[in-house]
Amino acid sequence: MRHILIADDDKEIAQLIRIYLENEGFQTRHANDGHEALAMLKGFPADLIVLDIMMPGMDGMEVCRKVREHSAIPILMLSAKTQDMDKVLGLMTGADDYMSKPFNPLELSARVKSLLRRSFQYNTELKSEVSEHVLKLDAIEINKLNHEVTANGKPISLTSREFEILSLLASSPGRVFGAEEIFRLIWQESYFVSNNTVMVHISNLRDKLEKELGYKLIQTVWGVGYKIEK
């Protein structure tokens, strides 16, 4: 069940919105002003906010700004003002949609549903993208999209080659990669026997990882190559 927070000091309008949204299967809560709305958000798992601009104490613009400091929750802003500039300001503040009073409750319900669908689709795509580009192995997290590595939540500064080597080994835990294969895949050049480039990079990478983890993540299989255990 989706939860909607309605912030409006006009109790009749708020009640009208509640009736229509609850008839659509939503669970609602009502805040009479901006301060109450922010307080409710701490304990109410809202999926969307219907937010009036003109409220006593703290207006909807300020509430929107404060919400946007820490949340991307969809916000449908309401206002008795009809000027285009008010709409622009509302959207620039961080609102996702804007309706002028008086409004058709059926249209408001339709816009709420539309915002929730878009939010759900975006979050699903975002999670899919993140899971596709993030490797997690033990306490290590590798974000291939941002070229960032963390160990126990702490960022580790790696060179581009060190990052590529770690990503390669972590992509197939348990598999042994020979030095020649690593060089060919990462540097994309021909490997020669006396080349110790891979060994030096592995050594530096190990030192950085071990400093945060307290143990050696990358293991040497003597005479064969290197691997990261599952």
Side-chain angles (χ1 to χ4, degrees):
M1 179 181 291
R2 297 301 182 93
H3 302 79
I4 312 295
L5 175 61
I6 303 162
D8 196 320
D9 63 314
D10 189 322
K11 294 183 179 180
E12 290 186 4
I13 290 179
Q15 182 61 21
L16 179 65
I17 295 172
R18 293 190 75 167
I19 290 171
Y20 274 83
L21 292 181
E22 288 178 2
N23 283 341
E24 295 289 346
F26 297 111
Q27 182 177 339
T28 67
R29 291 281 295 276
H30 173 226
N32 291 293
D33 56 52
H35 292 290
E36 188 178 356
L38 291 176
M40 279 190 177
L41 283 174
K42 296 178 181 179
F44 179 64
D47 297 297
L48 181 144
I49 306 172
V50 177
L51 180 63
D52 183 39
I53 291 182
M54 302 299 291
M55 292 187 294
M58 181 186 294
D59 65 20
M61 294 286 192
E62 184 62 23
V63 173
C64 188
R65 279 190 286 267
K66 289 187 176 295
V67 169
R68 284 291 173 259
E69 290 175 2
H70 58 80
S71 173
I73 181 175
I75 296 176
L76 171 58
M77 197 165 271
L78 304 177
S79 177
K81 298 181 178 182
T82 58
Q83 289 88 349
D84 288 341
M85 185 51 66
D86 293 315
K87 178 177 180 180
V88 170
L89 287 173
L91 295 174
M92 287 180 64
T93 303
D96 298 278
D97 201 355
Y98 183 103
M99 291 187 72
S100 298
K101 296 178 179 178
F103 54 83
N104 185 325
L106 292 174
E107 182 185 353
L108 183 139
S109 296
R111 293 203 189 189
V112 165
K113 291 177 184 177
S114 177
L115 285 173
L116 288 171
R117 279 196 302 270
R118 281 156 46 191
S119 175
F120 176 77
Q121 181 180 4
Y122 172 77
N123 288 330
T124 300
E125 290 174 353
L126 182 63
K127 287 176 183 176
S128 175
E129 181 178 320
V130 168
S131 62
E132 181 181 347
H133 292 97
V134 173
L135 287 172
K136 293 184 179 181
L137 197 66
D138 199 12
I140 292 286
E141 184 170 299
I142 304 166
N143 190 316
K144 294 188 287 184
L145 201 62
N146 299 329
H147 273 237
E148 296 175 348
V149 176
T150 59
N152 293 316
K154 296 181 180 179
I156 298 179
S157 178
L158 301 180
T159 66
S160 59
R161 294 303 189 197
E162 290 166 355
F163 180 88
E164 290 169 357
I165 292 172
L166 177 61
S167 297
L168 176 64
L169 298 178
S171 65
S172 300
R175 180 188 163 187
V176 180
F177 288 85
E180 181 177 352
E181 183 180 12
I182 293 173
F183 188 87
R184 179 166 41 81
L185 290 172
I186 303 299
W187 277 264
Q188 298 184 348
E189 297 176 9
S190 298
Y191 182 83
F192 49 94
V193 177
S194 60
N195 191 345
N196 66 352
T197 302
V198 171
M199 182 181 67
V200 172
H201 279 78
I202 290 283
S203 177
N204 292 336
L205 179 57
R206 269 183 174 152
D207 289 343
K208 292 179 179 180
L209 294 173
E210 188 175 357
K211 185 178 179 181
E212 293 297 337
L213 293 173
Y215 62 89
K216 286 182 178 175
L217 181 70
I218 301 174
Q219 300 179 16
T220 299
V221 180
W222 296 107
V224 184
Y226 307 94
K227 69 174 180 177
I228 291 178
E229 276 295 351
K230 297 180 181 179

